[in-house]
Amino acid sequence: MKIKVKHLFGVLYGCLFLSILAGFFVHLYLHPEVHFFWERLPVFSAVYGFIGCIMIILGSKAIGHLWLQKDEDYYEKHE
Amino acid sequence: MTEWFHPGLIYLIGALLIPLFRGRLKKVYLLSLPILAFVNLLLISNGFFLPEGKTWVLPFLGYDLVLGRIDRLSMVFAYVFVIASFCMMLYALHVKEEGEHVAAYLYVGSTLGVVFAGDLFTLFFFWEVMAWSALYLIWYRKTRAAYGAGLRYILVHFFGGLCLLGGILLHFHATGSIAFEIFPWGGESSGIPLASVLILLAFVINAAVPPFHAWLSDAYPEATVTGAVFLTAFTTKSAIYALIRGFPGLEILVWSGAIMAVYGVVFAVLENDIRRLLAYHIISQVGYMVAGVGMGVMGTAAGEMALNGAAAHAFCHILYKALLFMGAGAVLHVTGRSKLTELGGLYRYMPVTFHLYMVGAYSISGFPLFNGFVSKTMVVQASAMWHMPIVWLMLEGASIGTFLHTGLKLPWGTWFAKDKPVCEGKEPPMNMLVAMGLTSFLCIVLGVYPKLLYDLLPYPVHYQPYAPAHLVSMSQLLGFTFIAFWLLRRKLYGERTITLDTDWFYRFAGKWVIWFCEKPLMAFADFVDEKVMDLVHFLVWFSRNPAAALNIKGKELKLKAGMLVSNPVGLREYERMIEEERKRYPGELPKLTLGASLVLVLLSFSVYLILYLLVK
């Protein structure tokens, strides 16, 4: 099991590397139509995915812990 | 009648006959209805029945009810509803409860009624049937939580239904027409008609646009395992259909949709219950469709792309969301658990369920070769064509969150996360697995060969989902989302909490009303009661001997006046005397002779006569 997970991660890192390379390739050679300036950055989606994911987790958890998350019997207790 | 047959009627009539069948025959019968409806749709598409236009027009109080309005838009929605209903019934085939099947088919049939409705009264009728038939899919769970959630669900939908009815009547009053077409939404000179606002509100409630969305995340996770699968598809997507018909290109919908897409994601992070997590992602995904409707300005290339995107995404969403709910439902069915804190390590027992669930997860996340990729990107592309950078960023950001929860957090927490399985498990019954397999197959087919879907859409499609730039950006987005998840995965374990949402307001509204009745209102009532009773007691006391009573009251007044001016000590004697008199009261009553009584009676009659004459 351990080795399998390790191999999977190897493949995953390979794919990520390839997707970055492909990003450069697409932008340098195929010149796709862009609508926003950030689409010109070959690695924009990678950065947005990584930072966006972290922001979603931390931001939502902050809102939840500070305000919205309550005990499971919250409504029963207040009925 | 032979030029067309209403596909919804197959379900509505068919549902009533379900109790007549038993055993294996019943299963065959249940599955034959969607097949029949599908054949019916094929006959419509291929021109054996009326393929386009209005039919089944019934005269009603001098107006025409149109039960069959057939065009490309109604057909694409009808197709997906019928296909999905087959998969869902297959999933529910083992359920013994007949009423649940009846409710499910009434629900599907009335949704098709909405889809083919060409006038507003027909729309309203089926809209309401849809609301209450869905209620039984919740109540058949037969738990206290399901009962409460169902009650809240139906109250919200009654409110929405009344908005719709009020809007329809006002619209009818203003325009004299009951046709279901685009509603007027102000112009340069005129304001926004109230009728349109009410109808939009009704549609928006059914589409679960925040802040009117809480019924969905409240009720769907409490429904039965199989009922929830039906619920995911019809109410919200028929609302999207109604929005496309009534309000295409309404800008407020763009922003509502974008906010919705992100809103669902944020709440999904906090959620512990797997079916509620998925319910929040219905809200998020419907956000793409609502945004698509908002961007769907008729007659523009970007608008047609957006409307196509909304319809296509509704089509794909129904399939993959059903699949996801099937997977989560299978876990609940087998283990009786649905909370991430109580699940984990089930891969050992349920690998097939896991892999089939993951097809749904890849689809909703928009992995290339899965159906979400070919539809979601159309809406995102439309936002780029309209040059709306913030909307674009919000929709892309919601994609990240979608993969994070449905594709990573939920399966990780359910099937892995713990070294040892937390409970016993096994694969669900065969019919559930086959249904999941079939739905997965459809998700993949549409992803691999999107032309099947694109050919059904209302407008010609000029979009290449598999353009290299799309592929690359999606792979980067999803790949790096995974990396971020892996780094922070320990933060995403379930927590034993619930999350407050806008249902808080109406859950507590009842409590406030009861508080108001019990406290201020009751205090006021007690006060009035006490005063009236005091008056009654006084009158009873007074009427025993009015003369003596007047005497006592007069003396009491005198005593009070005396107390104000002179020394109270001197008045003690007088006070004691009044006390004595009160004790003796009513005392000896004067005895009247018969003659005196008669005189009194006659006197009162004459007073009455004088008053009568005066007033007259």
Side-chain angles (χ1 to χ4, degrees):
Chain A
M1 183 73 186
K2 278 242 157 84
I3 298 162
K4 214 173 146 192
V5 171
K6 212 169 149 188
H7 285 171
L8 279 177
F9 269 86
V11 173
L12 178 74
Y13 290 133
C15 289
L16 290 179
F17 183 67
L18 277 181
S19 75
I20 301 273
L21 276 188
F24 280 99
F25 173 79
V26 164
H27 283 271
L28 293 177
Y29 293 100
L30 300 179
H31 306 291
E33 188 192 2
V34 293
H35 300 87
F36 308 111
F37 67 87
W38 55 74
E39 284 183 284
R40 287 182 215 287
L41 296 174
V43 293
F44 169 76
S45 290
V47 174
Y48 191 53
F50 187 74
I51 294 177
C53 184
I54 291 176
M55 300 267 284
I56 287 172
I57 297 175
L58 298 182
S60 309
K61 283 284 180 191
I63 296 173
H65 288 162
L66 294 176
W67 179 26
L68 293 174
Q69 276 177 295
K70 302 282 174 204
D71 289 338
E72 282 180 325
D73 56 352
Y74 175 82
Y75 283 113
E76 285 76 25
K77 243 181 352 205
H78 290 82
E79 244 165 29
Chain B
M1 283 298 201
T2 47
E3 68 165 358
W4 197 67
F5 192 82
H6 197 305
L9 223 54
I10 296 175
Y11 289 94
L12 292 175
I13 297 172
L16 303 179
L17 303 180
I18 291 174
L20 300 180
F21 296 90
R22 285 280 172 271
R24 194 175 286 265
L25 192 61
K26 180 152 128 188
K27 293 183 177 176
V28 174
Y29 175 71
L30 285 172
L31 289 177
S32 67
L33 291 179
I35 295 173
L36 215 60
F38 187 70
V39 171
N40 187 355
L41 291 179
L42 286 180
L43 291 177
I44 296 170
S45 290
N46 291 311
F48 289 100
F49 284 153
L50 184 73
E52 193 126 20
K54 290 184 177 174
T55 181
W56 280 35
V57 179
L58 305 177
F60 172 73
L61 303 178
Y63 294 90
D64 287 336
L65 298 185
V66 182
L67 267 70
R69 183 240 310 257
I70 311 128
D71 56 14
R72 292 183 68 84
L73 182 62
S74 48
M75 284 306 285
V76 64
F77 275 86
Y79 265 116
V80 69
F81 286 147
V82 168
I83 294 169
S85 73
F86 180 82
C87 301
M88 292 165 178
M89 189 43 85
L90 187 59
Y91 183 79
L93 216 54
H94 63 281
V95 173
K96 296 273 182 294
E97 193 78 60
E98 266 171 0
E100 218 181 307
H101 294 311
V102 175
Y105 273 168
L106 287 178
Y107 183 43
V108 180
S110 53
T111 312
L112 287 170
V114 166
V115 166
F116 285 109
D119 72 282
L120 295 169
F121 285 132
T122 310
L123 172 78
F124 176 72
F125 174 78
F126 286 119
W127 196 263
E128 290 297 294
V129 177
M130 200 167 74
W132 62 252
S133 53
L135 173 63
Y136 289 95
L137 296 175
I138 302 164
W139 274 353
Y140 265 116
R141 182 89 180 277
K142 297 178 181 170
T143 59
R144 193 163 174 268
Y147 176 74
L151 199 64
R152 289 189 290 277
Y153 160 88
I154 199 67
L155 286 176
V156 172
H157 282 272
F158 279 153
F159 173 73
L162 285 176
C163 287
L164 182 62
L165 182 62
I168 289 172
L169 292 177
L170 285 175
H171 177 77
F172 172 61
H173 184 70
T175 62
S177 154
I178 58 166
F180 181 20
E181 301 294 343
I182 297 175
F183 295 102
W185 193 266
E188 279 167 12
S189 54
S190 59
I192 301 165
L194 179 63
S196 304
V197 175
L198 286 174
I199 294 172
L200 179 68
L201 185 62
F203 291 173
V204 153
I205 288 174
N206 267 30
V209 177
F212 310 108
H213 66 288
W215 60 268
L216 193 157
S217 49
D218 182 19
Y220 285 9
E222 301 298 344
T224 63
V225 168
T226 54
V229 176
F230 277 97
L231 288 170
T232 57
F234 298 98
T235 305
T236 45
K237 261 59 75 185
S238 60
I240 293 298
Y241 167 81
L243 283 172
I244 296 179
R245 278 271 179 238
F247 299 97
L250 192 64
E251 200 182 341
I252 186 178
L253 292 177
V254 181
W255 292 101
S256 311
I259 290 169
M260 220 172 142
V262 177
Y263 190 98
V265 162
V266 169
F267 275 75
V269 180
L270 309 176
E271 198 46 61
N272 187 24
D273 186 297
I274 53 176
R275 292 203 300 169
R276 188 157 281 130
L277 188 158
L278 292 175
Y280 274 115
H281 271 292
I282 299 181
I283 295 171
S284 176
Q285 294 297 303
V286 173
Y288 286 88
M289 299 166 217
V290 171
V293 179
M295 291 184 283
V297 180
M298 296 275 197
T300 58
E304 290 183 355
M305 168 74 92
L307 289 177
N308 271 342
H313 202 44
F315 197 108
C316 295
H317 173 83
I318 286 173
L319 295 174
Y320 63 64
K321 186 54 84 176
L323 178 55
L324 293 169
F325 261 80
M326 287 176 187
V331 172
L332 175 62
H333 178 83
V334 170
T335 65
R337 301 170 182 216
S338 65
K339 288 178 183 161
L340 284 173
T341 42
E342 298 169 1
L343 291 166
L346 288 176
Y347 184 78
R348 185 183 297 178
Y349 299 120
M350 310 175 75
V352 180
T353 310
F354 166 73
H355 288 295
L356 292 173
Y357 170 91
M358 284 313 286
V359 173
Y362 296 139
S363 301
I364 193 175
S365 313
F367 270 76
L369 300 181
F370 294 89
N371 66 359
F373 179 72
V374 303
S375 60
K376 188 195 309 192
T377 48
M378 288 177 90
V379 178
V380 179
Q381 177 73 10
S383 73
M385 287 166 81
W386 281 114
H387 221 84
M388 294 177 152
I390 297 178
V391 173
W392 189 92
L393 284 173
M394 286 168 88
L395 295 180
E396 282 285 281
S399 290
I400 299 170
T402 307
F403 179 47
L404 170 64
H405 303 121
T406 5
L408 296 169
K409 171 186 161 179
L410 195 160
W412 170 253
T414 306
W415 282 280
F416 303 99
K418 292 166 188 138
D419 294 332
K420 282 186 190 147
V422 293
C423 59
E424 287 286 307
K426 59 178 191 314
E427 294 290 359
M430 203 36 145
N431 67 304
M432 286 173 131
L433 283 181
V434 174
M436 290 175 73
L438 177 64
T439 319
S440 308
F441 173 74
L442 292 171
C443 288
I444 296 171
V445 165
L446 291 178
V448 174
Y449 191 61
K451 194 174 178 308
L452 278 177
L453 171 63
Y454 289 174
D455 282 349
L456 284 174
L457 294 178
Y459 303 100
V461 177
H462 310 286
Y463 177 64
Q464 285 298 333
Y466 288 106
H470 293 158
L471 278 174
V472 167
S473 79
M474 194 50 104
S475 328
Q476 289 185 359
L477 193 78
L478 297 173
F480 281 86
T481 300
F482 178 82
I483 297 295
F485 160 77
W486 195 253
L487 292 175
L488 293 177
R489 66 188 184 282
R490 295 194 197 288
K491 279 205 166 295
L492 285 169
Y493 285 138
E495 295 175 74
R496 288 182 185 283
T497 55
I498 58 158
T499 312
L500 298 189
D501 206 339
T502 52
D503 55 338
W504 185 86
F505 291 99
Y506 53 81
R507 279 180 170 222
F508 281 112
K511 213 177 97 174
W512 294 331
V513 170
I514 289 171
W515 177 86
F516 177 76
C517 292
E518 276 180 347
K519 297 285 154 64
L521 206 61
M522 274 314 281
F524 176 72
D526 282 345
F527 173 79
V528 172
D529 199 44
E530 196 189 310
K531 289 296 155 203
V532 169
M533 287 317 286
D534 281 355
L535 184 70
V536 169
H537 287 141
F538 173 76
L539 287 175
V540 168
W541 176 81
F542 183 81
S543 58
R544 281 189 189 141
N545 188 347
L550 275 177
N551 196 9
I552 293 171
K553 284 285 155 196
K555 279 181 179 161
E556 273 177 359
L557 268 180
K558 231 185 256 173
L559 176 72
K560 270 183 195 156
M563 275 191 180
L564 287 178
V565 289
S566 63
N567 186 2
V569 182
L571 294 169
R572 280 274 159 74
E573 191 59 28
Y574 191 61
E575 205 180 338
R576 204 170 299 131
M577 199 181 78
I578 296 174
E579 201 67 22
E580 288 287 305
E581 242 173 275
R582 263 188 176 280
K583 271 184 198 153
R584 274 205 304 281
Y585 182 84
E588 275 294 296
L589 289 171
K591 295 229 165 56
L592 289 179
T593 58
L594 187 62
S597 309
L598 269 175
V599 169
L600 278 178
V601 170
L602 283 176
L603 210 63
S604 55
F605 271 134
S606 46
V607 169
Y608 177 72
L609 182 68
I610 291 164
L611 277 176
Y612 175 75
L613 289 174
L614 277 178
V615 173
K616 203 179 174 199

